[in-house]
Amino acid sequence: MASNSFGTLFRFTTWGESHGPAIGVVIDGCPSLIPLSEDDIQPWLDKRKPGQSRFMSLRREGDKVRILSGVFEGKTTGAPISLMIENTDTRSKDYDEVKEKFRPGHADYAWFTKYGIRDYRGGGRASARETACRVAAGAVARKILGDGISIRGAVVQIGPNKVDRLRWDWDEAGNNPLFCPDAQMVSEWTAYLDSIRESGSSVGAIVEIVASGVPAGLGEPVYDKLDSDLARAIMSINAVKGVEIGAGFGAAELTGEQNADEMRSGPSFLSNNAGGILGGVSTGQDIVIRFAVKPTPSILKPLRTLSTDGQETEISTKGRHDPCVGIRAVPVGEAMVACVLADHFLRKRTS
Amino acid sequence: MASNSFGTLFRFTTWGESHGPAIGVVIDGCPSLIPLSEDDIQPWLDKRKPGQSRFMSLRREGDKVRILSGVFEGKTTGAPISLMIENTDTRSKDYDEVKEKFRPGHADYAWFTKYGIRDYRGGGRASARETACRVAAGAVARKILGDGISIRGAVVQIGPNKVDRLRWDWDEAGNNPLFCPDAQMVSEWTAYLDSIRESGSSVGAIVEIVASGVPAGLGEPVYDKLDSDLARAIMSINAVKGVEIGAGFGAAELTGEQNADEMRSGPSFLSNNAGGILGGVSTGQDIVIRFAVKPTPSILKPLRTLSTDGQETEISTKGRHDPCVGIRAVPVGEAMVACVLADHFLRKRTS
Amino acid sequence: MASNSFGTLFRFTTWGESHGPAIGVVIDGCPSLIPLSEDDIQPWLDKRKPGQSRFMSLRREGDKVRILSGVFEGKTTGAPISLMIENTDTRSKDYDEVKEKFRPGHADYAWFTKYGIRDYRGGGRASARETACRVAAGAVARKILGDGISIRGAVVQIGPNKVDRLRWDWDEAGNNPLFCPDAQMVSEWTAYLDSIRESGSSVGAIVEIVASGVPAGLGEPVYDKLDSDLARAIMSINAVKGVEIGAGFGAAELTGEQNADEMRSGPSFLSNNAGGILGGVSTGQDIVIRFAVKPTPSILKPLRTLSTDGQETEISTKGRHDPCVGIRAVPVGEAMVACVLADHFLRKRTS
Amino acid sequence: MASNSFGTLFRFTTWGESHGPAIGVVIDGCPSLIPLSEDDIQPWLDKRKPGQSRFMSLRREGDKVRILSGVFEGKTTGAPISLMIENTDTRSKDYDEVKEKFRPGHADYAWFTKYGIRDYRGGGRASARETACRVAAGAVARKILGDGISIRGAVVQIGPNKVDRLRWDWDEAGNNPLFCPDAQMVSEWTAYLDSIRESGSSVGAIVEIVASGVPAGLGEPVYDKLDSDLARAIMSINAVKGVEIGAGFGAAELTGEQNADEMRSGPSFLSNNAGGILGGVSTGQDIVIRFAVKPTPSILKPLRTLSTDGQETEISTKGRHDPCVGIRAVPVGEAMVACVLADHFLRKRTS
């Protein structure tokens, strides 16, 4: 059934395959009179774009976004905003071997079981290329939220190597291609990723997104909780295997008094183990989300698998792939958070 | 806006407050001709019911479910199934202090900001009592899924104390009031919870749910992924702060070849780091979900907070509360997983 | 699949069968802080209640509504409002013949084909008794809309007998049991209905609903148009076979200049062929909806039909039935219009 | 809020304005493995295309549809199908006067009130050009339904002139540009429309759609009734003011025994006043829908109106417009019926 849309009041629908003529997103529910042009969207796509460092896929995607509808004389009209990005660098020949084999860790086998057909070229619809559409939608969501709300992301762990939170610097996270908020860790990660890449392998990562300036009162009890919608949004990103809010899994080890975010006048809170959300509704504190990204499943090292006709075989993926897809997940995670917040920002007007 | 429903094809809507006359759930989308009676639902409610051990709230909830519609001559008719549970033990006087203060870690402040009013008696709509409705819906979902699919849960960690997975025994998990799958850990946890309770505190926990027998092909790309819907479902449970699938956050430290679930004839998989889901679609392996539950926020120890009129004050909760709400989350987590699977089980027929 | 809910931001879900223990409705999305008690709902139910005149079913339904949730200290809290009406006069023995035969013009055959089972007692879920839940939801919708918006209905035609619009009097429509706005027509309709009833037959009717005071700007292009949602709402009422807005089917015979609602300062319109809606959005004029209700299909006169095992037979319905169900459709139509307007009233805040 | 999608399991989302670079539709929920190419869609677009006779707008739209996603090696993959039609003949200069004035009978005033901005070029998003996307979606819906289900439409009345149903000939309806099923009426309508056009006016029409071969059991009680969804679908088409099923408004004048569709073995029905739907569910009979289309509001004759800054003025529309938009509504109505049936065709699998 229909399943390519996200959101309720602010809803976007994506389409397109990795190696088709184009990908795109239709953004529905954006209020009118918001100034919008390609220049508001393109920088976020550029941030996600592969080929920016040697730790991203070498594929060069022009990723030039074009607004096809919903904007008139520089402002949104309330009509759906259709955005399209043409696929320009689609070397289909790279994927000939993939045609006959299921790649472990990919959607190949599961989707083939479901649909009985699969567009094997570059992962088709399952490709992370789809996330460019999410980033474009997120750019529009940010315009709805306005400048008072900032949504920033950083990589906090690659393989076993974690950043030192005492050295956290948001500006630094924007200055290096690894979205690392810890200046001293950049060179360490760089060397580590070089070794991973040279060994034909890949590695996982943990990403953190922080939304600041979110007013209290966003979110809904009981099934459309803000954290529930955020968990869904984040878990829908390719390769994500876990998501947590505030203290997250660490909360399991806390006692009630350790976990309590006591309140003082302001209102202010003496801690933020809740990650800015209580009972599914924002409290006005920073919203803090962390998620785990598995290692890129396409690796040079040979893996045992099945052919599409059920024979045992091996596969070694020689295409262009990131040693750590978690890095590129940063702008995607930011975008999904922006879209969830924009949806609840509009919902709040109806409570 | 409307936000008290969960699911798409199999959708349930819950209503009711902790201290109102009753709580209930309307289950819509259950196929016809499924044998159903109160006896199919009551045992699951009994499993969740408080007051079963000294580590659960002392509140005695009769929790007798009544079917008000949708069943005729012992079978479902395709019409909505309305279930009601009367609230019988509602000592409203216990909550007088709560009326004037926001309890840290509760929905109180956030919901009051959103709605400008709050039913403070026992948490009102924010009470964990609402989860009885989820458990009832889950019982119907299990009937749709049939006996071939089992959904079982266990507590795997309380505070810093983890079970030994080498001693995992599902039968044991059903035999002790802590849902502990490790027989040797039961006494250790018991002593630990006694000390927590005596100190007027509480502690968090981690729960694991495993669904076996799920056929390959359930779930949808790209935004209604099975894991995405599971994450949403689990995160909507009171006090949950994190959710992960398969290797989860541990995947961040794995390399591509460690994480790969290689395939052999059958098809069989040589590991299950994916937790039974790839590209948002089930693979036929066990679906494995873990989630973190924060410590009960209502504790005897005094906490700094604000009164509803903004004055700094302290609160100490003397009501009936579990030292570890994570324990009672087991049947709730199972139920939410059952509901998500039933929804996608029906969806699969349309692909 | 789930199909017993109506609305988006203001959404209600109904449950219950004609001869089960109760029927009910869960109203989700009502804003908080709206004063609400049973006294706000009961009068509308009383208006719909059968047994009020000899032209309505003789069934005596107590129809006493009870609020089970969502209201605290006399005000809505933002939580779902659960309303229940017990079924008190359910003479199941009346329906024994119906058990074995499909009644022409009823849902019997179609639903049995779909579900393979049917609760034959009084029509079960297909009974017009379900519309009491719509009326209850409509009462809450009216509270959201406030006193500035009035929604009134009247019967404008019974069989071939139409009211004279020059004699239209809204007060009169509230004073007679036929909801007839034309005082002179009341006795004529009464005599006509007596003859229909005595002949063991029934007859159709046309109902008109007018919503006044609706602000301009309610409704959505392109698929959630206000008129589109109204048409859906009205057509979902039992026995309705047609719906029109403004000039409706009469517009087919008009020329462009006859149909044009010219504008003057105010803004004011020189006519209202549009029925208050253009491009799916309200203009501030009265919203005018008309709908046709077929004759009660349950009649004393014998009709040819099939038994549930496929044999040719006859059926003559001896139960308690209205000679003209169109009369009772008036408060139901009003309620559905109120619910659609309340939904779009909340939606407007998000544009 | 988001409002540019239609359908549940089979859902399409349209985008684009009359004078933007393109219009398009994303079709989500089409099952996999259905053969599909542009050749399956283009003929239906050609049928709707303006400029085919002197009674349609002179605008020449190439209306060449392009499939951008969701099809691989000639078959659907289960991924969303993105279709785009470029706007090639967009003479924006024609619409300069419209910029400053609200056109009576158009969305202009209502939408401006709602959004505070309007793309006045050719009606922008409110243009009937959007219906090309519906027709494209309908073409895909027909593929899902298969050859066993036919959906055909005809004009049955233009102004006061009705076809003679005794001369009904579906082949004839496909042979003349007026979709007239009565060969003798074609010349009469032609002369009538010539006179209307010469007088600078326009006229309304009534269209009838018949779906044959629809199996019993499609549709849902109580709020997603098949007729309810059809009414919504049809009423969402530009300029439609009324919709009826089977006997429709005529049912108001029938008695119970006249209206009853008695049943005999087969099952067969002795009449079809129900229009193929009872209790919201199909019976296996032909589904018969009729709808009224108002006269084209853009006419040469001057009409009194307001300027966008509130001044009283007149407007005379000189652009390219059909004297009777009801004619072009035929393929659009067919398409919307096809989409509703495809949605319920998939839903049926889940009951």
Side-chain angles (χ1 to χ4, degrees):
Chain A
M1 64 166 283
S3 63
N4 292 277
S5 297
F6 188 86
T8 303
L9 300 192
F10 177 79
R11 181 171 60 203
F12 65 88
T13 302
T14 74
W15 56 268
E17 286 85 36
S18 174
H19 285 61
I23 59 173
V25 55
V26 182
I27 299 162
D28 197 3
C30 181
S32 63
L33 297 174
I34 294 179
L36 186 73
S37 75
E38 278 94 347
D39 292 342
D40 293 305
I41 304 168
Q42 194 63 49
W44 302 105
L45 287 169
D46 293 344
K47 189 176 172 186
R48 189 208 73 99
K49 195 167 57 176
Q52 299 191 108
S53 80
R54 67 181 179 280
F55 306 123
M56 291 189 178
S57 157
L58 298 178
R59 173 170 172 170
R60 289 171 194 284
E61 300 172 349
D63 274 8
K64 286 297 167 201
V65 67
R66 193 174 163 212
I67 298 176
L68 296 178
S69 69
V71 176
F72 183 60
E73 297 182 341
K75 287 182 189 150
T76 59
T77 63
I81 301 165
S82 176
L83 305 178
M84 187 167 73
I85 304 167
E86 290 187 39
N87 288 330
T88 51
D89 181 20
T90 54
R91 302 185 219 164
S92 290
K93 63 187 169 188
D94 283 352
Y95 295 96
D96 283 350
E97 188 192 29
V98 180
K99 176 179 179 179
E100 307 294 347
K101 298 176 183 175
F102 297 125
R103 294 167 300 166
H106 275 280
D108 297 356
Y109 169 72
W111 287 27
F112 187 74
T113 302
K114 181 177 177 70
Y115 292 119
I117 185 174
R118 104 193 135 95
D119 181 345
Y120 49 78
R121 300 165 305 161
R125 181 70 182 149
S127 166
R129 179 140 182 75
E130 188 270 346
T131 61
C133 296
R134 301 174 185 237
V135 170
V140 177
R142 287 177 192 266
K143 295 287 288 187
I144 294 172
L145 293 170
D147 292 338
I149 296 178
S150 83
I151 299 160
R152 294 177 294 188
V155 179
V156 297
Q157 183 178 338
I158 291 184
N161 312 294
K162 304 177 184 180
V163 297
D164 182 340
R165 286 178 174 270
L166 296 177
R167 293 195 299 255
W168 192 290
D169 177 358
W170 278 116
D171 287 340
E172 178 59 32
N175 282 338
N176 65 74
L178 305 178
F179 302 114
C180 178
D182 172 357
Q184 292 187 32
M185 183 55 75
V186 177
S187 57
E188 194 174 324
W189 280 0
T190 302
Y192 177 71
L193 286 170
D194 272 335
S195 73
I196 288 287
R197 192 163 57 96
E198 279 158 23
S199 68
S201 185
S202 62
V203 73
I206 296 178
V207 173
E208 182 167 317
I209 311 285
V210 177
S212 304
V214 178
L218 264 60
E220 306 269 358
V222 174
Y223 293 102
D224 294 352
K225 285 184 162 121
L226 186 56
D227 36 356
S228 183
D229 278 7
L230 286 168
R232 181 189 182 210
I234 295 294
M235 196 67 99
S236 77
I237 300 172
N238 312 41
V240 171
K241 298 304 289 182
V243 57
E244 61 182 16
I245 308 285
F249 276 87
E253 306 204 5
L254 300 178
T255 62
E257 62 272 26
Q258 288 168 334
N259 186 62
D261 299 320
E262 295 179 295
M263 295 183 75
R264 297 285 80 185
S265 285
S268 68
F269 295 84
L270 304 182
S271 56
N272 189 13
N273 287 305
I277 304 173
L278 282 171
V281 176
S282 65
T283 61
Q285 287 195 282
D286 278 0
I287 293 177
V288 181
I289 305 134
R290 235 165 285 108
F291 61 94
V293 186
K294 72 180 185 185
T296 319
S298 299
I299 55 176
L300 200 56
K301 293 189 179 177
L303 294 171
R304 286 169 288 179
T305 192
L306 296 180
S307 63
T308 52
D309 58 357
Q311 302 304 308
E312 298 195 344
T313 181
E314 285 197 345
I315 191 165
S316 163
T317 312
K318 296 176 197 69
R320 304 156 297 180
H321 296 285
D322 303 2
C324 177
V325 283
I327 299 168
R328 270 171 77 187
V330 171
V332 182
E334 289 176 7
M336 292 306 288
V337 170
C339 290
V340 170
L341 290 177
D343 198 8
H344 282 279
F345 182 81
L346 296 178
R347 285 185 188 212
K348 185 169 193 298
R349 299 183 187 172
T350 72
S351 56
Chain B
M1 64 166 282
S3 64
N4 291 276
S5 299
F6 188 86
T8 303
L9 300 194
F10 177 79
R11 180 171 60 203
F12 65 88
T13 302
T14 74
W15 56 268
E17 286 86 36
S18 175
H19 285 60
I23 59 173
V25 55
V26 182
I27 299 163
D28 197 3
C30 181
S32 63
L33 297 174
I34 294 179
L36 187 72
S37 75
E38 278 93 349
D39 292 342
D40 292 306
I41 304 168
Q42 194 63 50
W44 302 105
L45 287 169
D46 292 343
K47 188 175 173 187
R48 189 208 74 98
K49 196 168 56 178
Q52 300 192 107
S53 80
R54 66 181 180 281
F55 305 123
M56 290 189 178
S57 158
L58 297 179
R59 172 170 176 171
R60 290 172 194 283
E61 299 172 349
D63 275 9
K64 286 296 165 200
V65 69
R66 193 173 163 213
I67 299 177
L68 296 178
S69 69
V71 176
F72 183 61
E73 297 182 341
K75 288 183 187 150
T76 59
T77 63
I81 300 165
S82 176
L83 305 177
M84 187 167 73
I85 302 167
E86 289 187 41
N87 289 330
T88 50
D89 181 21
T90 54
R91 304 185 219 163
S92 290
K93 62 187 168 186
D94 283 351
Y95 296 96
D96 283 351
E97 189 193 27
V98 179
K99 178 179 177 179
E100 306 294 346
K101 299 175 182 175
F102 297 124
R103 294 167 299 166
H106 276 282
D108 297 357
Y109 169 71
W111 287 26
F112 187 75
T113 303
K114 181 176 177 72
Y115 292 118
I117 186 173
R118 106 192 133 94
D119 182 345
Y120 49 79
R121 301 165 304 161
R125 180 71 184 149
S127 166
R129 178 139 184 77
E130 188 271 345
T131 60
C133 296
R134 302 174 185 236
V135 170
V140 177
R142 286 177 193 266
K143 296 286 289 186
I144 295 172
L145 293 170
D147 292 338
I149 296 178
S150 83
I151 299 160
R152 295 178 293 190
V155 178
V156 298
Q157 183 176 339
I158 291 184
N161 312 294
K162 303 177 185 181
V163 297
D164 182 341
R165 288 179 173 269
L166 297 178
R167 295 195 297 256
W168 192 289
D169 176 359
W170 277 116
D171 289 338
E172 177 59 32
N175 282 338
N176 65 74
L178 305 177
F179 302 114
C180 179
D182 171 358
Q184 291 188 34
M185 183 55 75
V186 177
S187 58
E188 193 173 326
W189 279 1
T190 303
Y192 177 71
L193 287 170
D194 271 335
S195 72
I196 288 287
R197 193 165 54 98
E198 280 156 24
S199 68
S201 184
S202 62
V203 72
I206 296 179
V207 173
E208 182 166 319
I209 311 285
V210 177
S212 303
V214 178
L218 264 60
E220 306 269 358
V222 173
Y223 293 102
D224 294 351
K225 285 183 162 123
L226 186 56
D227 37 355
S228 183
D229 278 7
L230 286 168
R232 182 188 181 211
I234 294 295
M235 196 67 100
S236 77
I237 301 171
N238 311 40
V240 172
K241 298 306 288 182
V243 57
E244 60 182 15
I245 309 285
F249 276 87
E253 305 204 5
L254 300 179
T255 61
E257 61 272 26
Q258 288 168 334
N259 185 63
D261 300 320
E262 294 179 295
M263 296 183 75
R264 296 286 80 184
S265 285
S268 67
F269 294 84
L270 303 182
S271 56
N272 188 13
N273 287 306
I277 304 172
L278 282 171
V281 176
S282 65
T283 61
Q285 287 195 281
D286 278 0
I287 293 178
V288 181
I289 305 134
R290 234 165 285 108
F291 61 94
V293 185
K294 72 179 183 185
T296 319
S298 297
I299 56 176
L300 199 57
K301 294 191 179 177
L303 295 170
R304 287 170 286 180
T305 190
L306 295 181
S307 62
T308 52
D309 59 355
Q311 301 304 307
E312 299 195 343
T313 182
E314 285 196 346
I315 192 165
S316 163
T317 313
K318 297 175 198 69
R320 304 156 295 179
H321 296 286
D322 303 1
C324 178
V325 284
I327 299 168
R328 270 171 77 187
V330 171
V332 182
E334 288 176 8
M336 293 305 289
V337 170
C339 290
V340 170
L341 290 177
D343 198 9
H344 281 280
F345 182 82
L346 296 177
R347 285 184 187 213
K348 185 168 193 297
R349 299 184 188 171
T350 71
S351 55
Chain C
M1 63 165 284
S3 63
N4 292 277
S5 298
F6 187 85
T8 302
L9 300 193
F10 177 79
R11 181 171 60 201
F12 65 88
T13 303
T14 74
W15 56 268
E17 286 85 37
S18 174
H19 285 59
I23 59 172
V25 56
V26 182
I27 299 163
D28 197 3
C30 181
S32 63
L33 297 173
I34 294 179
L36 187 72
S37 75
E38 278 93 350
D39 293 342
D40 293 306
I41 304 168
Q42 193 63 50
W44 302 104
L45 287 169
D46 293 344
K47 189 175 173 187
R48 189 207 74 98
K49 196 168 55 177
Q52 301 193 107
S53 81
R54 66 181 180 281
F55 306 123
M56 290 190 179
S57 158
L58 296 178
R59 172 169 174 171
R60 290 173 194 282
E61 300 172 350
D63 275 8
K64 286 297 166 200
V65 69
R66 193 174 163 212
I67 298 177
L68 296 178
S69 69
V71 176
F72 183 61
E73 297 183 341
K75 288 183 188 149
T76 60
T77 62
I81 300 165
S82 176
L83 304 178
M84 188 167 73
I85 302 167
E86 289 187 41
N87 289 330
T88 51
D89 182 20
T90 55
R91 305 185 218 162
S92 290
K93 62 187 170 186
D94 283 352
Y95 296 95
D96 283 350
E97 188 193 29
V98 180
K99 177 179 177 178
E100 307 294 346
K101 299 176 183 175
F102 297 125
R103 294 168 299 166
H106 275 283
D108 297 358
Y109 169 72
W111 287 26
F112 186 74
T113 302
K114 182 177 176 71
Y115 291 119
I117 186 174
R118 105 192 134 95
D119 182 345
Y120 49 78
R121 302 165 305 161
R125 181 71 184 149
S127 166
R129 179 137 183 78
E130 188 270 346
T131 60
C133 296
R134 302 174 185 237
V135 170
V140 177
R142 286 177 193 265
K143 296 286 289 187
I144 295 172
L145 294 170
D147 293 336
I149 297 178
S150 83
I151 299 159
R152 296 177 292 189
V155 178
V156 297
Q157 183 176 339
I158 291 184
N161 312 294
K162 304 178 185 181
V163 297
D164 182 341
R165 288 178 172 271
L166 296 177
R167 294 195 296 255
W168 192 288
D169 177 359
W170 276 116
D171 288 338
E172 177 59 32
N175 282 338
N176 65 74
L178 304 177
F179 302 115
C180 178
D182 171 358
Q184 292 188 33
M185 183 54 74
V186 177
S187 57
E188 193 173 325
W189 280 359
T190 302
Y192 177 71
L193 286 170
D194 272 335
S195 72
I196 288 285
R197 193 163 54 96
E198 281 157 23
S199 68
S201 185
S202 62
V203 73
I206 296 180
V207 173
E208 181 166 318
I209 311 284
V210 177
S212 303
V214 178
L218 263 60
E220 306 270 357
V222 174
Y223 293 102
D224 295 351
K225 285 184 162 123
L226 187 56
D227 36 356
S228 182
D229 279 7
L230 286 167
R232 181 189 181 210
I234 294 296
M235 196 67 99
S236 77
I237 300 172
N238 311 39
V240 172
K241 298 305 288 182
V243 57
E244 61 182 15
I245 309 285
F249 276 87
E253 306 204 5
L254 300 178
T255 61
E257 61 273 25
Q258 289 168 333
N259 185 63
D261 300 320
E262 294 179 295
M263 296 182 76
R264 296 284 81 184
S265 284
S268 67
F269 294 85
L270 303 182
S271 55
N272 189 13
N273 288 305
I277 304 172
L278 282 171
V281 176
S282 65
T283 61
Q285 286 195 282
D286 278 0
I287 292 176
V288 181
I289 305 134
R290 233 165 286 107
F291 60 94
V293 186
K294 71 179 184 185
T296 319
S298 299
I299 55 177
L300 199 57
K301 293 191 179 177
L303 295 171
R304 286 169 288 179
T305 190
L306 296 181
S307 63
T308 51
D309 58 355
Q311 301 305 307
E312 298 196 343
T313 181
E314 286 196 344
I315 192 166
S316 163
T317 311
K318 297 174 197 71
R320 303 157 296 180
H321 296 285
D322 303 2
C324 178
V325 283
I327 299 168
R328 268 171 78 187
V330 171
V332 183
E334 288 177 6
M336 291 305 288
V337 170
C339 289
V340 169
L341 290 177
D343 198 9
H344 281 281
F345 183 81
L346 296 178
R347 284 185 189 213
K348 185 168 192 296
R349 299 184 187 170
T350 71
S351 54
Chain D
M1 62 166 283
S3 64
N4 292 277
S5 298
F6 188 86
T8 303
L9 300 193
F10 177 79
R11 181 171 61 203
F12 65 88
T13 303
T14 73
W15 57 267
E17 286 85 37
S18 175
H19 285 60
I23 59 173
V25 55
V26 182
I27 299 163
D28 198 2
C30 181
S32 63
L33 297 173
I34 293 179
L36 187 73
S37 75
E38 277 93 348
D39 292 342
D40 293 305
I41 304 167
Q42 194 63 50
W44 302 105
L45 287 169
D46 291 346
K47 188 175 173 186
R48 189 208 73 98
K49 196 168 55 176
Q52 299 191 109
S53 80
R54 66 181 180 281
F55 305 122
M56 291 189 178
S57 157
L58 297 178
R59 173 172 174 170
R60 290 170 194 284
E61 299 173 350
D63 274 8
K64 286 296 166 202
V65 67
R66 193 175 162 212
I67 298 177
L68 295 178
S69 69
V71 177
F72 183 61
E73 297 182 341
K75 289 183 187 148
T76 59
T77 63
I81 301 165
S82 175
L83 304 178
M84 188 167 72
I85 303 167
E86 289 187 41
N87 288 329
T88 50
D89 181 20
T90 54
R91 303 185 218 163
S92 290
K93 62 187 169 187
D94 283 351
Y95 295 95
D96 282 350
E97 189 193 27
V98 179
K99 176 180 178 178
E100 307 294 346
K101 298 176 183 174
F102 297 124
R103 294 167 299 167
H106 275 281
D108 297 358
Y109 169 72
W111 287 27
F112 187 73
T113 302
K114 180 176 177 72
Y115 292 119
I117 186 174
R118 105 192 134 96
D119 181 347
Y120 50 79
R121 301 165 305 161
R125 180 71 183 148
S127 165
R129 178 138 183 76
E130 189 270 346
T131 61
C133 296
R134 301 174 185 237
V135 170
V140 177
R142 287 177 192 266
K143 297 286 289 188
I144 294 173
L145 294 170
D147 292 338
I149 296 178
S150 84
I151 299 159
R152 295 177 293 189
V155 178
V156 297
Q157 183 177 338
I158 291 184
N161 312 293
K162 303 178 185 181
V163 297
D164 182 341
R165 287 180 173 270
L166 296 177
R167 293 195 298 255
W168 193 289
D169 177 358
W170 277 117
D171 287 340
E172 177 59 32
N175 282 339
N176 65 75
L178 304 178
F179 302 115
C180 179
D182 171 358
Q184 292 188 33
M185 182 56 74
V186 176
S187 58
E188 193 174 324
W189 280 0
T190 302
Y192 177 71
L193 287 170
D194 272 336
S195 73
I196 287 287
R197 192 162 57 98
E198 279 157 23
S199 69
S201 186
S202 62
V203 72
I206 296 180
V207 174
E208 182 167 317
I209 311 284
V210 177
S212 304
V214 178
L218 263 60
E220 307 267 357
V222 173
Y223 294 101
D224 294 352
K225 285 183 162 122
L226 186 56
D227 36 355
S228 183
D229 279 7
L230 286 168
R232 181 188 181 210
I234 294 296
M235 196 66 100
S236 77
I237 300 171
N238 311 41
V240 172
K241 298 305 288 182
V243 57
E244 61 182 16
I245 309 286
F249 276 87
E253 306 204 5
L254 299 178
T255 61
E257 62 273 24
Q258 288 167 334
N259 186 61
D261 299 320
E262 295 179 293
M263 295 183 76
R264 297 284 81 186
S265 285
S268 68
F269 295 84
L270 303 182
S271 56
N272 189 13
N273 287 306
I277 303 173
L278 282 171
V281 175
S282 65
T283 62
Q285 286 195 283
D286 277 0
I287 293 176
V288 181
I289 305 134
R290 234 165 286 106
F291 60 94
V293 186
K294 71 179 183 185
T296 319
S298 299
I299 55 177
L300 199 57
K301 293 190 179 176
L303 295 169
R304 286 169 289 178
T305 191
L306 296 181
S307 63
T308 52
D309 58 356
Q311 302 303 307
E312 298 194 344
T313 182
E314 286 196 344
I315 191 166
S316 164
T317 311
K318 298 177 196 69
R320 304 156 296 179
H321 296 286
D322 303 2
C324 178
V325 283
I327 299 168
R328 268 170 77 188
V330 172
V332 182
E334 289 177 6
M336 291 306 287
V337 170
C339 289
V340 170
L341 290 177
D343 199 7
H344 281 280
F345 182 82
L346 297 178
R347 284 185 188 213
K348 186 168 191 297
R349 300 184 186 170
T350 72
S351 55

